[in-house]
Amino acid sequence: SAITGQGIPEILDMILLTADLKELQAVASGSAKGVVLEAKLSSQKGPVATVLIKTGTLKVGDPFVIGATYGRVRAMFNEFGQSIEAAPPSTPVEILGISAVPQAGDLLEVMSDDRGARVLAEERLQKEQQSNAQKVTQVSLELLSRQVKEGSTKDFNLIIKADVRGSLEAIVASLGKQSSTQVQIHVILSATGPVTESDIMLAKASRGIVLAFRVAIPNPVAKIAEDEGVTIQEYDIIYKLLDDVKLAMEGMLEIEYEDVECGRAAVRQVFPSKKSGSILGCMVTSGVMQRGQKVRVLRDGKVHLESTVESLRRFKDDVKEVREGFECGISVVNLTDAKEGDDLQVLETVQKKRSLSGGAVALAAQAS
């Protein structure tokens, strides 16, 4: 019916008839109450919620509380995108001025003042956080997979962040169906918007991981996650997120690694050395050269040797790293035949990002 319209006029007529027979009437006076149909974080407008007004009339400037969020109606727009000043019962309206993105299904209640709305929202948020802070074994997807094989994992805590409420609810609902007798999935927090520091702290406290679906991970937040030992898994296809979780729960998810270039240097001169065979006079042309890193010696575009950076020198001083644009002396383990014109490519071994094959992408597109 949503596509063809079949039966819609008949059901609307029946609703109106039932309302007339039962003399059902909405109360348009007094403080407004409504229910959140959809919510998201807009890059232009900030937190936005689509609310259906049930009773009373919502007006621009009204202070309100929605679940564990609060605010004051800064602006309202009807279904045609037109700005309006008041919304009576049965009016769907998009409102701005919320402190954070609320949950779909949360109730909006107009309060007498801003302070009362803020205090009530903070009390609700505190209760949610207390109930969510469960002490269970922290796992990454790979560690979970390994522990399932060993039979030592029972709980799997997740913090889920998504770009829009619809995607978030689909992910949470699908994950709820994946719990098994071996592993129980617990969604500690599900919300829209970018990954924040508080998400990382919650993941650490609950010993869970963060699943980020089509949302930004600011560099400072990524650094905090790394420092706190919290895993963030990024996805842009729901199918792949669910597939990885399922494989992990079955103990079948394997860790894959790849070498990523993090610096390069050009060999300008070669100096003989009794201690290390030869010292390479180099110019760092990109990234950072670091002592102890894996290095490839490239000659005529081909890999001549794979080894390790033994030492770095700036003038007469031993240093740990040399950045782009600076000259340095480099010695490479087991490199005895270096030549001017060689390139040194330093590498960092990192966990390989998961990606879908073409067939899987098509399957995921069909599923979504």
Side-chain angles (χ1 to χ4, degrees):
S1 296
I3 297 174
T4 66
Q6 180 180 355
I8 298 297
E10 289 79 5
I11 195 170
L12 291 177
D13 288 341
M14 185 57 66
I15 290 172
L16 293 175
L17 177 60
T18 302
D20 286 340
L21 293 175
K22 294 190 175 184
E23 298 182 351
L24 301 177
Q25 293 183 341
V27 179
S29 59
S31 299
K33 292 184 180 181
V35 62
V36 176
L37 303 179
E38 177 64 89
K40 63 181 179 180
L41 182 65
S42 168
S43 58
Q44 291 82 26
K45 301 176 181 178
V48 177
T50 301
V51 178
L52 180 63
I53 306 302
K54 298 178 69 177
T55 61
T57 299
L58 185 64
K59 304 181 183 67
V60 171
D62 282 347
F64 61 84
V65 62
I66 305 177
T69 66
Y70 64 94
R72 179 182 285 271
V73 180
R74 191 170 75 241
M76 291 192 297
F77 302 92
N78 62 17
E79 65 270 32
F80 304 108
Q82 300 168 334
S83 178
I84 58 176
E85 295 295 319
S90 298
T91 303
V93 62
E94 184 180 77
I95 64 171
L96 310 183
I98 317 171
S99 62
V101 179
Q103 303 281 336
D106 281 350
L107 294 179
L108 176 146
E109 299 176 82
V110 171
M111 305 292 289
S112 57
D113 54 58
D114 293 325
R115 184 177 180 279
R118 184 178 66 254
V119 169
L120 180 58
E122 289 174 351
E123 289 176 353
R124 290 176 176 176
L125 180 60
Q126 187 176 8
K127 288 180 180 179
E128 286 183 7
Q129 291 174 341
Q130 289 175 349
S131 63
N132 288 336
Q134 304 172 26
K135 292 184 178 180
V136 292
T137 305
Q138 180 179 353
V139 290
S140 66
L141 286 180
E142 293 78 16
L143 180 58
L144 171 72
S145 181
R146 190 161 60 249
Q147 290 178 339
V148 167
K149 288 181 179 179
E150 297 169 355
S152 60
T153 293
K154 295 298 182 184
D155 297 289
F156 187 24
N157 286 356
L158 297 174
I159 287 81
I160 304 174
K161 300 301 289 286
D163 54 346
V164 295
R165 181 64 58 182
S167 297
L168 185 68
E169 292 177 348
I171 292 170
V172 173
S174 298
L175 288 174
K177 300 175 183 178
Q178 291 198 9
S179 289
S180 66
T181 55
Q182 288 179 297
V183 182
Q184 291 292 319
I185 292 178
H186 303 283
V187 178
I188 301 299
L189 171 71
S190 60
T192 56
V195 179
T196 64
E197 181 180 349
S198 62
D199 297 326
I200 303 303
M201 293 300 101
L202 179 58
K204 180 184 178 182
S206 62
R207 303 196 176 192
I209 72 169
V210 179
L211 301 183
F213 182 77
R214 291 182 180 173
V215 294
I217 303 174
N219 289 333
V221 174
K223 181 64 168 58
I224 292 171
E226 182 180 354
D227 293 341
E228 299 294 342
V230 173
T231 299
I232 304 177
Q233 298 277 152
E234 298 180 68
Y235 297 93
D236 58 7
I237 298 176
I238 294 178
Y239 169 88
K240 186 55 181 172
L241 182 154
L242 299 176
D243 190 46
D244 274 4
V245 172
K246 181 179 179 181
L247 289 174
M249 293 176 64
E250 293 175 350
M252 298 169 58
L253 192 64
E254 299 294 337
I255 306 174
E256 297 181 11
Y257 295 97
E258 62 181 343
D259 290 328
V260 177
E261 179 180 317
C262 55
R264 189 175 285 231
V267 178
R268 300 288 176 82
Q269 288 181 284
V270 180
F271 304 97
S273 171
K274 294 182 180 179
K275 183 179 179 181
S276 57
S278 59
I279 300 294
L280 314 181
C282 301
M283 168 65 74
V284 180
T285 56
S286 66
V288 181
M289 306 293 288
Q290 292 183 326
R291 187 173 60 208
Q293 281 184 306
K294 181 178 179 179
V295 62
R296 285 178 183 159
V297 180
L298 305 179
R299 182 173 297 170
D300 299 326
K302 298 180 180 179
V303 178
H304 175 67
L305 175 71
E306 289 193 358
S307 186
T308 306
V309 177
E310 185 174 21
S311 66
L312 284 173
R313 296 181 69 87
R314 280 278 296 158
F315 302 108
K316 296 183 179 181
D317 299 323
D318 285 321
V319 294
K320 292 183 178 180
E321 65 177 36
V322 180
R323 296 185 175 274
E324 179 180 348
F326 290 93
E327 295 180 337
C328 61
I330 302 176
S331 65
V332 177
V333 176
N334 297 328
L335 180 60
T336 58
D337 60 344
K339 294 183 178 180
E340 295 180 13
D342 286 349
D343 282 325
L344 303 183
Q345 179 189 38
V346 291
L347 305 167
E348 180 181 7
T349 302
V350 299
Q351 184 177 331
K352 188 175 182 180
K353 290 186 177 181
R354 307 185 193 287
S355 60
L356 291 172
S357 64
V361 169
L363 179 61
Q366 293 173 8
S368 61

